[in-house]
Amino acid sequence: MRKTYKIGILGAGRIARKMAATLHGMDGVEAYAVASRCIDKAAAFARDNGVSRAYGSYDELAADPMVDLVYVATPHAMHYEHARLCIGHGRPVLCEKAFTVNVAQAEELLGMARERGVFITEAIWTRYMPFSKTVSRLVGDGSIGTPMTLMASLCYPVAHKERIMRPELGGGALLDLGVYALNFAYMAFGTDVVKVDSSCVKTPTGVDAQDSITLTYADGRMAVLQANIHCAGPRHGVICGDRGYIVVDNINNPQRACVYDADHRLRRTLVCPPQITGYEYEVIESLKAIGRGDVECADMPHAETLRVMRAMDSLRREWGVSFPADDWR
């Protein structure tokens, strides 16, 4: 008989609800348990989202031997503590992006997981999506000739949210939105970056509100990235070559990629297959890796998580944006 994997959700906010809905649409998994620091909140979440068990502490969830995978859905600044708790109990972890607030925390978590043989991966959902891989293949299949320039932007008016504005919660545009633009560039253009130019505008609380980042590659390609917490934007990704260009409708959850020729004529449109929410792919790949006895996912290996965290640390240092957990403040 096929095993039904029991998924625990650590945290009871908006993305936790989205994950619960995702699990209900999947085969072979159960939305088994949810944990909050308040039992009443956990119980309400369980009731409203069809979760079997509710825990009033994160420790109880981490200690439950029935849990096959814990999805960490708390704010950025709490990921290190909560993932570490789960690893300490031997629970496999799918940890929301940004993985941690800095690379030092990420290195410690990943080292602990490897030492104990416990699976952990970053829940940067675009890395696991089959359609993201389709876009990456498009870039290299000659459809637009030689790719030379990439532009990606992710902007949402989210400055009213407490977790965005507070340094102690790992706030700012970079860890919440810019991380998607960086991952989009790395997936499409690779990681042979030789130069980074950037600037940001900060909020009165000291976090980055608007970011502009330009990556220059060893072969002369450039990726121009933007993130902003004050305004809405089209979320497009554009990859340009000498024979045409590709327009991706949403770098945060790509649904359509349009290929144009050098005369701006639409030549091809690729559409994402139906999905539950898009979160299902990170769950599927995590469970496959756990079944193989792996401690990481091939779609988002630990080395890539560290690469992104190092890049974001370097940018924040340049901008003078620091968090209480940073040892270089």
Side-chain angles (χ1 to χ4, degrees), residues 104-221:
Q105 288 186 342
E107 287 173 337
E108 185 175 337
L109 273 185
L110 297 179
M112 180 181 178
R114 285 190 173 277
E115 181 182 320
R116 300 190 180 209
V118 178
F119 172 86
I120 186 170
T121 196
E122 183 178 4
I124 176 84
W125 61 332
T126 51
R127 285 276 188 163
Y128 305 86
M129 292 176 177
F131 196 65
S132 291
K133 298 166 192 175
T134 298
V135 171
S136 295
R137 286 193 294 270
L138 263 183
V139 175
D141 72 359
S143 297
I144 59 170
T146 302
M148 290 302 296
T149 299
L150 178 152
M151 295 164 282
S153 174
L154 197 61
C155 306
Y156 289 101
V158 291
H160 61 283
K161 297 187 177 184
E162 185 181 28
R163 67 176 181 82
I164 294 292
M165 296 300 290
R166 289 173 54 183
E168 63 270 28
L169 295 180
L174 182 62
L175 267 65
D176 204 66
L177 305 175
V179 64
Y180 285 113
L182 281 168
N183 274 280
F184 184 81
Y186 289 159
M187 284 189 286
F189 268 14
T191 58
D192 191 17
V193 177
V194 295
K195 184 183 178 186
V196 179
D197 297 290
S198 73
S199 64
C200 91
V201 175
K202 291 192 279 189
T203 69
T205 60
V207 300
D208 57 301
Q210 182 167 215
D211 308 335
S212 177
I213 305 161
T214 300
L215 310 179
T216 302
Y217 285 76
D219 60 2
R221 289 173 300 155

Side-chain angles (χ1 to χ4, degrees), residues 82-318:
H82 296 153
R84 194 174 190 277
L85 172 67
C86 294
I87 294 169
H89 283 279
R91 301 279 89 76
V93 178
L94 173 62
C95 182
E96 256 306 331
K97 63 80 198 163
F99 188 67
T100 52
V101 296
N102 57 40
V103 73
Q105 288 186 342
E107 287 173 337
E108 185 175 337
L109 273 185
L110 297 179
M112 180 181 178
R114 285 190 173 277
E115 181 182 320
R116 300 190 180 209
V118 178
F119 172 86
I120 186 170
T121 196
E122 183 178 4
I124 176 84
W125 61 332
T126 51
R127 285 276 188 163
Y128 305 86
M129 292 176 177
F131 196 65
S132 291
K133 298 166 192 175
T134 298
V135 171
S136 295
R137 286 193 294 270
L138 263 183
V139 175
D141 72 359
S143 297
I144 59 170
T146 302
M148 290 302 296
T149 299
L150 178 152
M151 295 164 282
S153 174
L154 197 61
C155 306
Y156 289 101
V158 291
H160 61 283
K161 297 187 177 184
E162 185 181 28
R163 67 176 181 82
I164 294 292
M165 296 300 290
R166 289 173 54 183
E168 63 270 28
L169 295 180
L174 182 62
L175 267 65
D176 204 66
L177 305 175
V179 64
Y180 285 113
L182 281 168
N183 274 280
F184 184 81
Y186 289 159
M187 284 189 286
F189 268 14
T191 58
D192 191 17
V193 177
V194 295
K195 184 183 178 186
V196 179
D197 297 290
S198 73
S199 64
C200 91
V201 175
K202 291 192 279 189
T203 69
T205 60
V207 300
D208 57 301
Q210 182 167 215
D211 308 335
S212 177
I213 305 161
T214 300
L215 310 179
T216 302
Y217 285 76
D219 60 2
R221 289 173 300 155
M222 298 183 77
V224 181
L225 317 175
Q226 290 185 317
N228 193 310
I229 62 171
H230 287 309
C231 62
R235 306 179 298 186
H236 288 171
V238 182
I239 305 112
C240 305
D242 59 340
R243 290 173 49 197
Y245 56 95
I246 302 164
V247 179
V248 179
D249 67 327
N250 179 5
I251 67 168
N252 190 36
N253 184 9
Q255 298 294 301
R256 180 177 285 101
C258 297
V259 182
Y260 295 84
D261 65 19
D263 294 317
H264 310 288
R265 294 174 297 197
L266 179 63
R267 291 302 189 185
R268 189 180 178 194
T269 299
L270 288 83
V271 178
C272 178
Q275 59 187 31
I276 302 169
T277 63
Y279 279 20
E280 62 265 33
Y281 304 114
E282 62 193 26
V283 176
I284 290 167
E285 294 306 317
S286 293
L287 294 177
K288 285 181 181 177
I290 292 167
R292 291 190 299 264
D294 296 341
V295 295
E296 62 183 338
C297 266
D299 287 333
M300 189 57 177
H302 293 172
E304 279 299 284
T305 288
L306 292 175
R307 187 190 309 278
V308 174
M309 292 308 310
R310 287 193 188 101
M312 294 196 296
D313 272 17
S314 179
L315 289 164
R316 290 195 298 109
R317 281 177 187 262
E318 180 180 337

Side-chain angles (χ1 to χ4, degrees), residues 71-88:
Y71 172 61
V72 174
T74 47
H76 305 143
M78 302 172 187
H79 290 174
Y80 167 78
E81 174 190 350
H82 296 153
R84 194 174 190 277
L85 172 67
C86 294
I87 294 169

